[in-house]
Short mmCIF file of all heavy atoms in Angstrom, two decimals:
data_model
loop_
_atom_site.label_atom_id
_atom_site.label_comp_id
_atom_site.label_asym_id
_atom_site.label_seq_id
_atom_site.Cartn_x
_atom_site.Cartn_y
_atom_site.Cartn_z
N ASN B 129 44.46 31.58 12.86
CA ASN B 129 44.26 31.62 14.31
C ASN B 129 44.93 30.44 15.00
O ASN B 129 45.52 30.59 16.08
CB ASN B 129 42.76 31.64 14.61
CG ASN B 129 42.49 32.14 16.01
OD1 ASN B 129 43.14 33.08 16.46
ND2 ASN B 129 41.57 31.50 16.69
N LEU B 130 44.87 29.27 14.35
CA LEU B 130 45.50 28.07 14.93
C LEU B 130 47.01 28.28 15.07
O LEU B 130 47.62 27.86 16.06
CB LEU B 130 45.24 26.83 14.07
CG LEU B 130 43.80 26.34 13.91
CD1 LEU B 130 43.78 25.05 13.11
CD2 LEU B 130 43.14 26.11 15.25
N LYS B 131 47.61 28.95 14.07
CA LYS B 131 49.06 29.17 14.09
C LYS B 131 49.48 29.98 15.31
O LYS B 131 50.58 29.82 15.82
CB LYS B 131 49.50 29.92 12.83
CG LYS B 131 49.41 29.10 11.56
CD LYS B 131 49.82 29.96 10.38
CE LYS B 131 49.67 29.23 9.08
NZ LYS B 131 49.97 30.06 7.91
N ASN B 132 48.58 30.88 15.77
CA ASN B 132 48.90 31.74 16.91
C ASN B 132 48.86 31.02 18.25
O ASN B 132 49.51 31.42 19.19
CB ASN B 132 47.93 32.92 16.98
CG ASN B 132 48.09 33.84 15.80
OD1 ASN B 132 49.19 33.96 15.26
ND2 ASN B 132 47.02 34.48 15.39
N VAL B 133 48.04 29.96 18.31
CA VAL B 133 47.82 29.35 19.63
C VAL B 133 48.26 27.90 19.76
O VAL B 133 48.24 27.33 20.84
CB VAL B 133 46.34 29.51 20.06
CG1 VAL B 133 46.02 30.96 20.36
CG2 VAL B 133 45.38 28.96 19.01
N TYR B 134 48.63 27.29 18.63
CA TYR B 134 49.12 25.90 18.67
C TYR B 134 50.47 25.81 17.96
O TYR B 134 50.76 26.59 17.05
CB TYR B 134 48.16 24.94 17.95
CG TYR B 134 46.80 24.78 18.60
CD1 TYR B 134 45.73 25.57 18.18
CD2 TYR B 134 46.59 23.83 19.59
CE1 TYR B 134 44.47 25.42 18.76
CE2 TYR B 134 45.33 23.68 20.18
CZ TYR B 134 44.29 24.48 19.75
OH TYR B 134 43.06 24.33 20.33
N THR B 135 51.26 24.82 18.36
CA THR B 135 52.49 24.48 17.64
C THR B 135 52.25 23.17 16.90
O THR B 135 51.66 22.24 17.47
CB THR B 135 53.67 24.30 18.63
OG1 THR B 135 53.71 25.44 19.47
CG2 THR B 135 54.98 24.15 17.92
N LEU B 136 52.68 23.13 15.65
CA LEU B 136 52.44 21.93 14.83
C LEU B 136 53.66 21.02 14.84
O LEU B 136 54.78 21.47 14.63
CB LEU B 136 52.13 22.37 13.39
CG LEU B 136 51.86 21.28 12.37
CD1 LEU B 136 50.49 20.67 12.55
CD2 LEU B 136 51.98 21.85 10.96
N HIS B 137 53.44 19.74 15.14
CA HIS B 137 54.53 18.75 15.10
C HIS B 137 54.12 17.61 14.17
O HIS B 137 52.95 17.21 14.18
CB HIS B 137 54.78 18.15 16.49
CG HIS B 137 55.15 19.17 17.52
ND1 HIS B 137 56.40 19.71 17.59
CD2 HIS B 137 54.42 19.75 18.51
CE1 HIS B 137 56.44 20.58 18.60
NE2 HIS B 137 55.24 20.62 19.15
N PHE B 138 55.09 17.09 13.43
CA PHE B 138 54.83 15.92 12.59
C PHE B 138 55.28 14.67 13.34
O PHE B 138 56.38 14.65 13.89
CB PHE B 138 55.58 16.03 11.26
CG PHE B 138 54.91 16.97 10.29
CD1 PHE B 138 55.02 18.35 10.45
CD2 PHE B 138 54.15 16.48 9.24
CE1 PHE B 138 54.39 19.21 9.58
CE2 PHE B 138 53.51 17.34 8.37
CZ PHE B 138 53.62 18.71 8.53
N GLY B 139 54.43 13.66 13.37
CA GLY B 139 54.79 12.40 14.01
C GLY B 139 55.16 11.36 12.97
O GLY B 139 55.49 11.69 11.84
N LYS B 140 55.03 10.11 13.37
CA LYS B 140 55.42 9.02 12.44
C LYS B 140 54.29 8.72 11.45
O LYS B 140 53.21 9.30 11.53
CB LYS B 140 55.78 7.77 13.25
CG LYS B 140 54.63 7.27 14.09
CD LYS B 140 54.98 5.97 14.79
CE LYS B 140 53.73 5.45 15.48
NZ LYS B 140 53.86 4.15 16.04
N ILE B 141 54.57 7.83 10.54
CA ILE B 141 53.55 7.35 9.61
C ILE B 141 52.87 6.15 10.26
O ILE B 141 53.53 5.26 10.82
CB ILE B 141 54.17 6.92 8.25
CG1 ILE B 141 55.00 8.06 7.65
CG2 ILE B 141 53.10 6.42 7.29
CD1 ILE B 141 54.22 9.29 7.23
#
Side-chain angles (χ1 to χ4, degrees):
Chain B
N129 199 40
L130 296 184
K131 290 178 184 176
N132 294 330
V133 291
Y134 294 94
T135 308
L136 179 75
H137 301 283
F138 283 76
K140 60 175 187 173
I141 305 294

